[in-house]
Amino acid sequence: MIKLKYTWLYGNKIYFIVLIICLLVFFLTMFFFLPDQVANVAEFKMIGIFYFTFAAIFIAILLLVTITTSREIKYRKSKQEIDDYYNYTLKIEEVNNRIRKFRHDYINILSTMSEYLREDDLEGLKAYYAKHISPLKDHFEANSLKLNGVENLKVKEIKGVITTKILQAQERQIEISVEVADEINEINMEMIDLSRILGIIMDNAIEASMDIDSPMIQIAFIKTDTSVLIIIMNKAPENLPKLHTLYREGFSTKGKERGLGLSTLKEITDSKNNVFLETTIENHYFIQKLEIMNSNG
C-alpha cells in the first residue's frame, strides 16, 4: 500500500473498489472452501493444488486489472497533457498574431504623423501623440508584462499552464502579476497532478474576479532550500462562504454540479506526503499557499 501511493493508481476510487472486492471474494472463497478436517495425504494434496491454482488465477486477474487500469490512467493523463500543450500553443500563436497586428497598426499610426512634421506643427503633434500614440503604447506594455514574470520558471508543463491562465485573465481584463524570483528547474511532484491543482486554483481565481470591481490576481513562485512554495491570491467577493463549505464536494457558488474543483484539489493534495495546501482569507484576498517539499518523506 505504501508503494501504491507513488503510482498512477493511487487516488483512483474505481481501482480501489475493484481491489477491495477482489480481496473480499478471495478470502471468502478461501474460508468457505476450507474443510474442517483432512482425511488423508491425497486429500491434503488435492486441497493444496486447488488453493494454489485458485491463488495463481486470482493473482493473474489482479495483475491484469492493475496493468489495464494503470495504462488507462496514463493514457488519460497523457492526453490531458497533450490537450494542455495544444491549448498553450494556440494561445502563443494568438499572442504572436496580436503582436503582428499591433506592429502593422503602429506603423500606420506613425505614418499619420508625417503631415504634422511636414507642416512643422509641433503643438499639434504633441496633442496627437498624447491622444493616440501614448495610450496604445501603455496598453501594449501592460499586456506584455503579464508574460515576463514566468521567464525564471523552467518547468515547461507548469509554465504552459500558468501562461495559458495569464492569457485567459488578460482576455477578461483582469489585472495579473507573476513573480518568480529564483530560477526553478524542478518541482518534486507529478506534473499532471500539479497542473490540475494550478488549473483549478487559477480557474477559480479568474471566475471569482469576474464578479468584483478592480479585480487582481497575484502569483508567486518561491524557491527555498527544502521546498517550492506557490502562492496564488485574488480579490475575494464580499459574500464568500466559509472555507470548510467551499471544500465540500458538490458545493459551488455558481449553481449545481459545478462544485468539484476544490474538493478535487483537496483530494489530490491529501494524497501526497510532500505537498501541503493552506487556504486563508486575509484583507479581502483569497490566498492559496501550496508548498511542495523536495523530499517525499
Side-chain angles (χ1 to χ4, degrees), residues 8-9 48 51 67 85 116 134 138 174 242 279:
W8 294 94
L9 297 170
Y51 278 117
I67 293 172
Y85 185 77
Y116 292 98
S134 186
D138 295 338
I174 299 172
K242 299 294 184 181
T279 304

Side-chain angles (χ1 to χ4, degrees), residues 24-122:
L24 186 62
V25 170
F26 176 77
F27 286 113
L28 287 177
T29 304
M30 296 281 281
F31 176 78
F32 284 113
F33 280 88
L34 184 68
D36 295 331
Q37 60 183 2
V38 180
N40 50 55
V41 176
E43 185 177 346
F44 180 80
K45 289 182 178 180
M46 289 291 294
I47 294 172
I49 293 173
F50 168 77
Y51 278 117
F52 178 80
T53 305
F54 179 74
I57 294 174
F58 171 79
I59 292 173
I61 294 174
L62 193 61
L63 287 175
L64 181 63
V65 171
T66 300
I67 293 172
T68 303
T69 306
S70 179
R71 286 178 178 176
E72 178 65 20
I73 293 173
K74 286 182 179 179
Y75 168 75
R76 291 182 180 180
K77 292 185 176 182
S78 297
K79 185 177 182 299
Q80 182 65 43
E81 288 179 347
I82 293 172
D83 291 342
D84 289 341
Y85 185 77
Y86 176 72
N87 292 331
Y88 166 67
T89 304
L90 291 180
K91 291 295 183 180
I92 293 300
E93 289 179 356
E94 184 179 339
V95 171
N96 288 334
N97 290 333
R98 288 181 182 178
I99 294 175
R100 194 178 298 113
K101 182 177 181 297
F102 174 83
R103 288 174 178 172
H104 180 267
D105 293 343
Y106 199 67
I107 291 173
N108 290 337
I109 292 172
L110 289 176
S111 65
T112 60
M113 301 169 60
S114 59
E115 191 64 25
Y116 292 98
L117 295 173
R118 186 179 297 111
E119 296 181 1
D120 199 20
D121 185 2
L122 184 58

